[in-house]
Amino acid sequence: TPALASAPVRLPLGPQDGYWFYLPVQPGQEVRVTVPGGIRQGTPQRVNPDFTVRMAGKVIEFCGGSVAGLTIGILGLTFKPNTDDMRDAPSLDIVPALLQAGAKIVAFDPEGMSEAGKLLQGITFAKTAYEAIAGADVMVVITEWHEFRGLDPRRIKELMRQPRIVDLRNIFNPEEMRGLGFIYEGVGRPGPRS
């Protein structure tokens, strides 16, 4: 008899009105179940690290294969906007992977700085989004906070050392950003970077 998983697993990019769980039934077979939101309990967990590590790899590839010595401005650290909840936050895998690859991280999150500070060591916490990207070689959007959508792209470009954006939440319009001179990459969007 095949063993069942002892705990359900939530994918980081599950629907916001519920969580996708994968429960192994037998080798090579999985069953997908949707559970209403608000039932998660426990300590912060890094679930599906393969996905989030791939996102860190996407940033590294975007930077020419190495982030060693680069400053990365991170926008958003929490699991989702409008909370300080760090459980299941993709940043718990992405940020350490970038640090291990030699990047300097300056991060901002509107509500999650205190909780993130307990879980993420070796990074600098900024007081504003603009402060996080000042002097950055690349800006990475991890959490889709509404206030990030309202940032002035021209000011972003003026503040950054290099106008490069990896938008893991697709909050910016690629054509607009490229038209302003950014090298821009989103997730799952075809088209050139610049």
Side-chain angles (χ1 to χ4, degrees):
T1 306
L4 294 177
S6 60
V9 176
R10 187 188 92 50
L11 292 177
L13 296 179
Q16 294 204 356
D17 60 347
Y19 301 95
W20 292 103
F21 293 86
Y22 289 83
L23 302 174
V25 176
Q26 60 185 7
Q29 184 180 13
E30 294 180 342
V31 176
R32 188 169 67 179
V33 181
T34 302
V35 177
I39 66 166
R40 295 181 300 127
Q41 297 178 358
T43 58
Q45 300 173 33
R46 289 174 297 284
V47 183
N48 194 10
D50 290 343
F51 172 80
T52 51
V53 170
R54 278 198 316 270
M55 292 300 99
K58 183 179 187 73
V59 174
I60 293 167
E61 178 188 329
F62 178 81
C63 293
S66 175
V67 293
L70 297 183
T71 300
I72 299 177
I74 300 282
L75 298 186
L77 296 167
T78 55
F79 155 67
K80 64 180 182 177
N82 304 315
T83 184
D84 67 353
D85 191 352
M86 290 296 294
R87 292 176 293 176
D88 303 321
S91 65
L92 294 176
D93 288 309
I94 295 170
V95 169
L98 295 172
L99 285 170
Q100 186 175 6
K104 174 186 174 193
I105 304 292
V106 181
F108 173 73
D109 189 282
E111 293 184 28
M113 304 286 272
S114 178
E115 290 302 310
K118 298 173 188 174
L119 302 167
L120 295 169
Q121 286 76 45
I123 70 175
T124 301
F125 292 99
K127 294 178 182 163
T128 68
Y130 289 121
E131 184 181 311
I133 59 175
D137 295 291
V138 62
M139 177 179 94
V140 178
V141 179
I142 296 179
T143 311
E144 66 274 17
W145 286 88
H146 182 72
E147 73 181 67
F148 297 159
R149 295 177 190 276
L151 294 174
D152 178 358
R154 287 173 179 80
R155 184 169 177 201
I156 292 171
K157 188 175 179 189
E158 288 173 7
L159 290 171
M160 294 183 73
R161 185 175 304 134
Q162 299 181 57
R164 301 189 296 183
I165 298 174
V166 178
D167 185 355
L168 299 177
R169 295 302 184 169
N170 294 332
I171 67 170
F172 295 109
N173 179 307
E175 290 78 22
E176 177 186 357
M177 299 309 275
R178 291 179 188 122
L180 291 170
F182 285 94
I183 300 169
Y184 173 92
E185 185 159 325
V187 176
R189 290 178 164 173
R193 289 182 174 172
S194 58

